[in-house]
Amino acid sequence: AQSVTQLDSQVPVFEEAPVELRCNYSSSVSVYLFWYVQYPNQGLQLLLKYLSGSTLVKGINGFEAEFNKSQTSFHLRKPSVHISDTAEYFCAVSLGSGGYQKVTFGTGTKLQVIP
Amino acid sequence: EAGVAQSPRYKIIEKRQSVAFWCNPISGHATLYWYQQILGQGPKLLIQFQNNGVVDDSQLPKDRFSAERLKGVDSTLKIQPAKLEDSAVYLCASSFRGAPSGELFFGEGSRLTVL
């Protein structure tokens, strides 16, 4: 069975500072990795995903993430955050199981951008 | 393209009462998911449909929760009788084919408060 660990439940950061949100996963088979963002009172929306190829993937709103197979990590980064980035971020792993997609989410990291 | 629609957005009931949530996925999406998101936790899969068949309901409390997806389109999630611990946001999501590499599209969620 696969699992996802998000090490930080809350991350406060000043506006225009860089940020890294950490995600580690475990799985006995190859997985696809995703980051979703949830703004207050809204559903989740896709930020970026890693399927294969280059280990550095770029997403919307200036976010990027790096897949590290040896460390089983998929950390999310942004070089300069904005107030509008205040939201909760979820890391997720997806694999095929019995012919269908199985997606497991982490517990989330709340990013609080301080003016 | 219309997104995933859910209703009601908010519902307050007393314990032992019943409640139903409705979801209309994106047109043409074969896979539909219901997730439960308790405050401070990541989304937990309750049930997953492929067209109108159930492919995973291993975490659905079947003594009180039920779900159906008639004609492979709309879906309804019912809780009867509700318990205090069912207070959560119920998220509906859909994906095109349910492929492991596919993105999940989420509705805004239905927030349930059980008093």
Side-chain angles (χ1 to χ4, degrees):
Chain A
Q2 74 273 27
S3 65
V4 181
T5 302
Q6 292 185 245
L7 299 168
D8 306 298
S9 59
Q10 294 191 38
V11 173
V13 61
F14 286 103
E15 193 173 15
E16 297 184 6
V19 69
E20 178 180 82
L21 306 183
R22 296 179 292 170
C23 172
N24 288 87
Y25 69 94
S26 66
S27 176
S28 57
V29 298
S30 295
V31 296
Y32 301 102
L33 297 161
F34 299 76
W35 275 99
Y36 285 83
V37 59
Q38 185 176 32
Y39 298 103
N41 297 315
Q42 294 186 25
L44 283 70
Q45 63 185 83
L46 183 68
L47 204 54
L48 50 79
K49 63 181 177 181
Y50 172 77
L51 303 182
S52 64
S54 173
T55 56
L56 184 64
V57 293
K58 295 187 183 297
I60 60 172
N61 301 336
F63 283 92
E64 62 183 29
E66 185 160 17
F67 170 62
N68 188 317
K69 187 174 182 179
S70 62
Q71 297 187 6
T72 60
S73 67
F74 190 53
H75 300 334
L76 181 70
R77 302 186 184 101
K78 186 170 182 179
S80 176
V81 296
H82 189 266
I83 291 290
S84 59
D85 294 323
T86 295
E88 190 157 19
Y89 294 79
F90 292 92
C91 183
V93 297
S94 173
L95 57 77
S97 175
Y100 61 90
Q101 179 185 27
K102 186 172 179 66
V103 182
T104 302
F105 288 87
T107 52
T109 297
K110 290 184 179 177
L111 175 62
Q112 182 185 7
V113 180
I114 304 165
Chain B
E1 177 181 82
V4 176
Q6 289 188 247
S7 67
R9 286 294 313 276
Y10 305 92
K11 189 72 176 179
I12 300 174
I13 62 174
E14 296 190 351
K15 59 182 179 183
R16 291 187 289 273
Q17 288 186 324
S18 62
V19 63
F21 303 111
W22 172 82
C23 172
N24 181 237
I26 292 174
S27 178
H29 279 197
T31 310
L32 186 147
Y33 313 76
W34 282 103
Y35 283 89
Q36 180 192 57
Q37 187 178 18
I38 293 174
L39 188 65
Q41 300 181 20
K44 182 184 86 171
L45 180 68
L46 291 176
I47 189 167
Q48 179 175 341
F49 293 93
Q50 186 74 18
N51 296 307
N52 60 348
V54 176
V55 296
D56 187 352
D57 63 357
S58 56
Q59 298 192 89
L60 186 74
K62 298 180 184 64
D63 57 334
R64 298 183 300 106
F65 286 65
S66 65
E68 60 181 7
R69 189 183 185 195
L70 299 177
K71 301 180 181 178
V73 182
D74 293 7
S75 178
T76 302
L77 176 71
K78 296 180 180 177
I79 307 174
Q80 182 179 15
K83 291 185 175 181
L84 295 177
E85 59 260 36
D86 298 332
S87 293
V89 176
Y90 292 85
L91 295 166
C92 179
S94 69
S95 67
F96 180 54
R97 289 183 296 130
S101 59
E103 173 184 356
L104 268 60
F105 294 83
F106 285 84
E108 292 184 316
S110 294
R111 182 179 297 274
L112 173 65
T113 301
V114 182
L115 303 176

Coordinates of all heavy atoms in Angstrom, one line a residue, chain A residues 32 34 36 38 41-46 49 51 88 90 94-97 99-108 110, chain B residues 9-10 33 35 37 40-43 45 48 50 55-56 58 91 95 98-108 111:
Chain A
Y32 N 2.7 7.9 -9.6 CA 2.7 9.2 -10.1 C 2.5 10.1 -8.9 O 1.7 9.8 -8.0 CB 1.5 9.4 -11.1 CG 1.7 8.4 -12.3 CD1 0.9 7.3 -12.4 CD2 2.6 8.7 -13.3 CE1 1.0 6.4 -13.5 CE2 2.7 7.8 -14.4 CZ 1.9 6.7 -14.5 OH 2.0 5.8 -15.5
F34 N 1.6 14.1 -7.3 CA 0.8 15.3 -7.6 C 0.9 16.2 -6.4 O 1.1 15.8 -5.3 CB -0.7 15.0 -7.8 CG -1.0 14.0 -9.0 CD1 -0.7 12.7 -8.9 CD2 -1.6 14.6 -10.1 CE1 -1.0 11.8 -10.0 CE2 -1.9 13.7 -11.2 CZ -1.6 12.4 -11.1
Y36 N -1.7 19.3 -5.0 CA -3.0 20.0 -5.2 C -3.0 21.2 -4.2 O -2.4 21.1 -3.1 CB -4.2 19.1 -4.9 CG -4.5 18.1 -6.0 CD1 -3.8 16.9 -6.1 CD2 -5.5 18.4 -7.0 CE1 -4.1 16.0 -7.1 CE2 -5.8 17.4 -8.0 CZ -5.1 16.3 -8.0 OH -5.4 15.4 -9.0
Q38 N -5.6 23.9 -2.1 CA -7.0 24.2 -1.7 C -7.1 25.5 -1.1 O -6.6 25.8 0.0 CB -7.5 23.1 -0.7 CG -9.0 23.2 -0.3 CD -9.4 22.1 0.6 OE1 -8.6 21.6 1.4 NE2 -10.7 21.6 0.5
N41 N -12.6 27.4 1.6 CA -14.0 27.1 1.1 C -14.1 26.7 -0.3 O -15.1 26.9 -1.0 CB -14.9 28.3 1.4 CG -15.0 28.6 2.9 OD1 -15.1 27.7 3.7 ND2 -14.8 29.9 3.2
Q42 N -13.0 26.1 -0.8 CA -13.0 25.6 -2.2 C -12.5 24.2 -2.3 O -12.0 23.7 -1.3 CB -12.1 26.5 -3.1 CG -12.6 27.9 -3.3 CD -11.8 28.7 -4.3 OE1 -11.2 28.1 -5.2 NE2 -11.8 30.0 -4.1
G43 N -12.8 23.6 -3.4 CA -12.3 22.2 -3.6 C -10.8 22.3 -4.0 O -10.2 23.3 -4.0
L44 N -10.2 21.1 -4.1 CA -8.8 21.0 -4.5 C -8.6 21.2 -6.0 O -9.5 20.9 -6.8 CB -8.2 19.7 -4.1 CG -7.9 19.4 -2.7 CD1 -9.1 19.2 -1.8 CD2 -7.0 18.1 -2.6
Q45 N -7.5 21.9 -6.4 CA -7.2 22.0 -7.8 C -5.7 21.6 -8.0 O -4.9 21.8 -7.1 CB -7.5 23.4 -8.3 CG -6.7 24.5 -7.7 CD -7.1 25.9 -8.2 OE1 -8.0 26.5 -7.7 NE2 -6.4 26.4 -9.2
L46 N -5.4 21.1 -9.2 CA -4.1 20.6 -9.5 C -3.1 21.8 -9.6 O -3.4 22.7 -10.3 CB -4.1 19.8 -10.8 CG -2.8 19.2 -11.2 CD1 -2.4 18.1 -10.2 CD2 -2.9 18.6 -12.6
K49 N 2.2 18.0 -11.6 CA 2.3 16.5 -11.4 C 3.5 16.0 -12.1 O 4.1 16.6 -13.0 CB 1.0 15.9 -12.1 CG 0.9 16.1 -13.6 CD -0.4 15.4 -14.1 CE -0.6 15.7 -15.6 NZ -1.8 15.0 -16.0
L51 N 4.9 12.7 -13.9 CA 4.6 11.4 -14.5 C 5.8 10.6 -14.8 O 5.9 9.4 -14.5 CB 3.7 11.6 -15.7 CG 2.4 12.4 -15.5 CD1 1.6 12.5 -16.8 CD2 1.6 11.8 -14.4
E88 N -4.0 25.7 1.6 CA -3.5 24.5 2.1 C -3.1 23.6 0.9 O -3.7 23.6 -0.2 CB -4.6 23.7 2.8 CG -4.1 22.5 3.6 CD -4.9 22.1 4.7 OE1 -6.1 22.5 4.8 OE2 -4.4 21.3 5.6
F90 N -1.7 19.9 -0.7 CA -1.8 18.5 -0.5 C -0.9 17.8 -1.5 O -1.0 18.0 -2.7 CB -3.2 18.0 -0.6 CG -4.1 18.5 0.5 CD1 -4.9 19.6 0.3 CD2 -4.2 17.8 1.7 CE1 -5.7 20.1 1.3 CE2 -5.1 18.2 2.7 CZ -5.8 19.3 2.5
S94 N -0.5 8.5 -6.9 CA -1.5 7.8 -7.6 C -0.8 6.6 -8.3 O 0.3 6.7 -8.8 CB -2.1 8.7 -8.7 OG -2.9 8.0 -9.6
L95 N -1.5 5.4 -8.3 CA -1.0 4.3 -9.0 C -2.2 3.5 -9.5 O -3.4 3.7 -9.1 CB -0.2 3.4 -8.1 CG -0.8 2.9 -6.7 CD1 -1.7 1.7 -6.9 CD2 0.4 2.5 -5.8
G96 N -1.9 2.6 -10.4 CA -3.0 1.7 -10.9 C -3.1 0.5 -10.0 O -2.1 -0.1 -9.7
S97 N -4.3 0.2 -9.7 CA -4.5 -0.9 -8.8 C -5.8 -1.7 -9.3 O -6.9 -1.1 -9.3 CB -4.7 -0.5 -7.3 OG -5.1 -1.5 -6.5
G99 N -6.7 -2.3 -12.1 CA -7.2 -1.8 -13.3 C -7.8 -0.4 -13.1 O -8.4 0.2 -14.1
Y100 N -7.8 0.2 -12.0 CA -8.3 1.5 -11.8 C -7.3 2.4 -11.0 O -6.3 1.9 -10.4 CB -9.6 1.5 -11.1 CG -9.6 0.9 -9.7 CD1 -9.4 1.6 -8.6 CD2 -9.8 -0.5 -9.5 CE1 -9.3 1.1 -7.3 CE2 -9.8 -1.1 -8.2 CZ -9.5 -0.3 -7.1 OH -9.5 -0.8 -5.9
Q101 N -7.5 3.7 -11.0 CA -6.6 4.6 -10.3 C -6.9 4.7 -8.8 O -8.1 4.8 -8.4 CB -6.9 6.0 -11.0 CG -6.0 7.1 -10.4 CD -6.4 8.5 -11.0 OE1 -7.5 8.7 -11.4 NE2 -5.4 9.4 -11.0
K102 N -5.8 4.6 -8.0 CA -6.0 4.7 -6.6 C -5.1 5.9 -6.2 O -3.9 6.0 -6.4 CB -5.5 3.5 -5.9 CG -5.8 3.5 -4.4 CD -5.5 2.2 -3.8 CE -5.7 2.2 -2.3 NZ -7.1 2.4 -1.9
V103 N -5.8 6.9 -5.6 CA -5.1 8.2 -5.2 C -5.1 8.3 -3.7 O -6.2 8.2 -3.1 CB -5.8 9.4 -5.8 CG1 -5.0 10.7 -5.4 CG2 -5.8 9.3 -7.3
T104 N -4.0 8.5 -3.1 CA -3.8 8.7 -1.6 C -3.3 10.1 -1.4 O -2.3 10.5 -2.0 CB -2.9 7.7 -1.0 OG1 -3.5 6.4 -1.3 CG2 -2.9 7.8 0.5
F105 N -3.9 10.8 -0.5 CA -3.5 12.2 -0.2 C -2.8 12.2 1.2 O -3.0 11.4 2.1 CB -4.7 13.1 -0.1 CG -5.3 13.5 -1.4 CD1 -6.3 12.6 -1.9 CD2 -4.9 14.6 -2.1 CE1 -6.9 12.9 -3.2 CE2 -5.5 14.9 -3.3 CZ -6.5 14.0 -3.9
G106 N -1.8 13.2 1.3 CA -1.2 13.5 2.6 C -2.2 14.3 3.4 O -3.3 14.7 3.0
T107 N -1.7 14.7 4.6 CA -2.5 15.4 5.6 C -2.6 16.9 5.3 O -3.3 17.6 6.0 CB -2.1 15.1 7.0 OG1 -0.7 15.4 7.1 CG2 -2.3 13.7 7.4
G108 N -1.8 17.4 4.4 CA -1.8 18.8 4.1 C -0.8 19.7 4.8 O -0.5 19.4 6.0
K110 N -0.5 23.8 5.6 CA -1.1 25.2 5.5 C 0.0 26.2 5.3 O 0.9 26.3 6.2 CB -2.0 25.5 6.7 CG -3.3 24.7 6.8 CD -4.1 25.1 8.0 CE -5.4 24.3 8.0 NZ -6.2 24.7 9.1
Chain B
R9 N -24.1 23.1 -0.3 CA -22.8 23.5 0.2 C -22.6 23.4 1.6 O -21.5 23.0 2.1 CB -22.5 25.0 -0.2 CG -22.3 25.3 -1.7 CD -21.0 24.7 -2.2 NE -19.8 24.9 -1.4 CZ -19.0 26.0 -1.4 NH1 -19.3 27.0 -2.2 NH2 -18.0 26.1 -0.6
Y10 N -23.7 23.6 2.4 CA -23.7 23.5 3.8 C -24.9 22.8 4.3 O -26.0 23.0 3.8 CB -23.6 24.9 4.5 CG -22.4 25.8 4.0 CD1 -22.6 26.6 2.9 CD2 -21.2 25.7 4.6 CE1 -21.5 27.4 2.4 CE2 -20.1 26.4 4.1 CZ -20.3 27.3 3.0 OH -19.3 28.0 2.6
Y33 N -15.4 10.0 -7.6 CA -14.9 9.7 -6.2 C -15.7 10.6 -5.2 O -16.0 11.7 -5.4 CB -13.4 10.1 -6.1 CG -12.5 9.7 -7.2 CD1 -12.5 10.4 -8.4 CD2 -11.6 8.7 -7.0 CE1 -11.7 10.0 -9.5 CE2 -10.7 8.3 -8.0 CZ -10.8 8.9 -9.2 OH -9.9 8.6 -10.2
Y35 N -14.8 11.8 -1.4 CA -13.8 11.9 -0.3 C -14.4 12.5 0.9 O -15.3 13.4 0.8 CB -12.6 12.7 -0.7 CG -11.6 12.0 -1.7 CD1 -11.8 12.1 -3.0 CD2 -10.5 11.3 -1.2 CE1 -10.9 11.4 -3.9 CE2 -9.6 10.7 -2.0 CZ -9.8 10.8 -3.4 OH -9.0 10.1 -4.2
Q37 N -13.3 14.8 4.1 CA -12.2 15.6 4.6 C -12.5 16.2 6.0 O -13.3 17.1 6.1 CB -11.8 16.8 3.7 CG -10.6 17.5 4.1 CD -10.2 18.6 3.1 OE1 -11.0 19.1 2.3 NE2 -8.9 19.1 3.2
G40 N -8.4 19.5 9.5 CA -7.0 19.2 9.9 C -6.5 17.9 9.3 O -5.3 17.6 9.5
Q41 N -7.2 17.2 8.4 CA -6.8 16.0 7.8 C -6.9 16.1 6.3 O -7.5 17.0 5.8 CB -7.6 14.8 8.3 CG -7.5 14.6 9.8 CD -8.3 13.4 10.2 OE1 -8.7 12.5 9.4 NE2 -8.7 13.3 11.5
G42 N -6.2 15.2 5.6 CA -6.3 15.1 4.2 C -7.5 14.4 3.8 O -8.2 13.7 4.6
P43 N -7.9 14.5 2.5 CA -9.1 13.8 2.0 C -8.9 12.3 2.1 O -7.8 11.8 1.8 CB -9.2 14.3 0.5 CG -8.4 15.5 0.5 CD -7.3 15.4 1.5
L45 N -10.6 8.7 0.9 CA -11.5 8.1 -0.1 C -12.6 7.3 0.6 O -12.3 6.4 1.4 CB -10.8 7.2 -1.1 CG -11.6 6.6 -2.2 CD1 -12.2 7.6 -3.1 CD2 -10.8 5.5 -3.0
Q48 N -15.3 4.9 -4.8 CA -14.9 5.3 -6.1 C -15.7 4.4 -7.1 O -15.9 3.2 -7.0 CB -13.4 4.9 -6.3 CG -12.9 5.2 -7.7 CD -11.4 5.0 -7.7 OE1 -10.7 5.0 -6.7 NE2 -10.8 4.9 -8.9
Q50 N -16.5 3.6 -11.3 CA -16.0 3.6 -12.7 C -17.3 3.4 -13.5 O -17.9 2.3 -13.4 CB -15.0 2.5 -13.0 CG -14.4 2.5 -14.3 CD -13.4 3.6 -14.5 OE1 -12.9 4.2 -13.5 NE2 -13.1 4.0 -15.7
V55 N -15.7 0.4 -7.7 CA -14.4 -0.2 -7.8 C -13.7 -0.2 -6.5 O -12.8 -1.0 -6.3 CB -13.5 0.4 -8.9 CG1 -14.2 0.2 -10.2 CG2 -13.3 1.9 -8.6
D56 N -14.1 0.7 -5.5 CA -13.4 0.7 -4.2 C -14.4 1.3 -3.2 O -14.7 2.5 -3.4 CB -12.1 1.5 -4.3 CG -11.3 1.4 -3.0 OD1 -11.8 0.9 -2.0 OD2 -10.1 1.8 -3.0
S58 N -13.8 0.3 0.2 CA -13.2 -0.4 1.4 C -13.2 0.5 2.6 O -13.2 0.0 3.7 CB -11.8 -0.8 1.1 OG -11.0 0.3 0.7
L91 N -16.2 15.8 -0.3 CA -15.7 16.3 -1.6 C -16.0 15.2 -2.7 O -15.8 14.1 -2.5 CB -14.2 16.5 -1.6 CG -13.7 17.6 -0.7 CD1 -12.2 17.5 -0.5 CD2 -14.0 19.0 -1.2
S95 N -12.6 12.1 -12.8 CA -11.5 12.1 -13.7 C -12.0 11.4 -15.0 O -13.0 10.7 -15.0 CB -10.3 11.3 -13.1 OG -10.6 10.0 -13.0
G98 N -10.0 7.6 -15.2 CA -9.5 6.9 -14.0 C -8.1 6.3 -14.2 O -7.7 5.4 -13.5
A99 N -7.3 6.9 -15.2 CA -6.0 6.5 -15.4 C -5.1 7.0 -14.2 O -5.3 8.0 -13.7 CB -5.4 7.0 -16.7
P100 N -4.1 6.2 -13.8 CA -3.2 6.6 -12.7 C -2.5 8.0 -12.9 O -2.2 8.7 -12.0 CB -2.2 5.5 -12.6 CG -2.8 4.3 -13.2 CD -3.7 4.9 -14.3
S101 N -2.3 8.3 -14.2 CA -1.7 9.6 -14.5 C -2.6 10.8 -14.6 O -2.2 11.9 -14.8 CB -0.9 9.5 -15.8 OG -1.8 9.2 -16.8
G102 N -3.9 10.5 -14.4 CA -4.9 11.5 -14.6 C -5.1 12.4 -13.5 O -5.0 12.1 -12.3
E103 N -5.6 13.6 -13.8 CA -5.9 14.6 -12.8 C -7.3 14.4 -12.3 O -8.2 14.1 -13.0 CB -5.8 16.0 -13.5 CG -6.3 17.2 -12.6 CD -6.3 18.5 -13.4 OE1 -5.8 18.5 -14.6 OE2 -6.7 19.5 -12.9
L104 N -7.5 14.7 -11.0 CA -8.8 14.7 -10.4 C -9.3 16.1 -10.4 O -8.6 17.0 -10.1 CB -8.7 14.2 -8.9 CG -9.0 12.7 -8.7 CD1 -7.9 11.8 -9.5 CD2 -9.0 12.3 -7.3
F105 N -10.6 16.3 -10.7 CA -11.2 17.6 -10.7 C -12.3 17.5 -9.6 O -13.1 16.6 -9.5 CB -12.0 17.8 -12.0 CG -11.0 18.0 -13.2 CD1 -10.5 16.9 -13.9 CD2 -10.6 19.2 -13.6 CE1 -9.6 17.0 -14.9 CE2 -9.7 19.4 -14.7 CZ -9.3 18.3 -15.4
F106 N -12.1 18.5 -8.7 CA -12.9 18.5 -7.5 C -14.0 19.5 -7.5 O -13.9 20.6 -8.1 CB -12.1 18.8 -6.2 CG -11.2 17.7 -5.8 CD1 -10.0 17.4 -6.4 CD2 -11.6 16.8 -4.8 CE1 -9.2 16.4 -6.0 CE2 -10.8 15.8 -4.3 CZ -9.6 15.5 -5.0
G107 N -15.1 19.2 -6.9 CA -16.2 20.2 -6.6 C -15.8 21.0 -5.4 O -14.7 20.8 -4.7
E108 N -16.6 22.0 -5.0 CA -16.3 22.9 -3.9 C -16.6 22.2 -2.5 O -16.2 22.7 -1.5 CB -17.1 24.2 -4.0 CG -16.7 25.0 -5.2 CD -17.4 26.3 -5.2 OE1 -18.6 26.4 -5.0 OE2 -16.7 27.4 -5.5
R111 N -20.2 20.9 3.2 CA -19.8 20.9 4.6 C -20.9 20.5 5.5 O -22.0 21.1 5.5 CB -19.3 22.3 5.0 CG -18.8 22.4 6.5 CD -18.3 23.8 6.8 NE -17.2 24.2 6.0 CZ -15.9 23.9 6.2 NH1 -15.6 23.2 7.3 NH2 -15.0 24.4 5.4

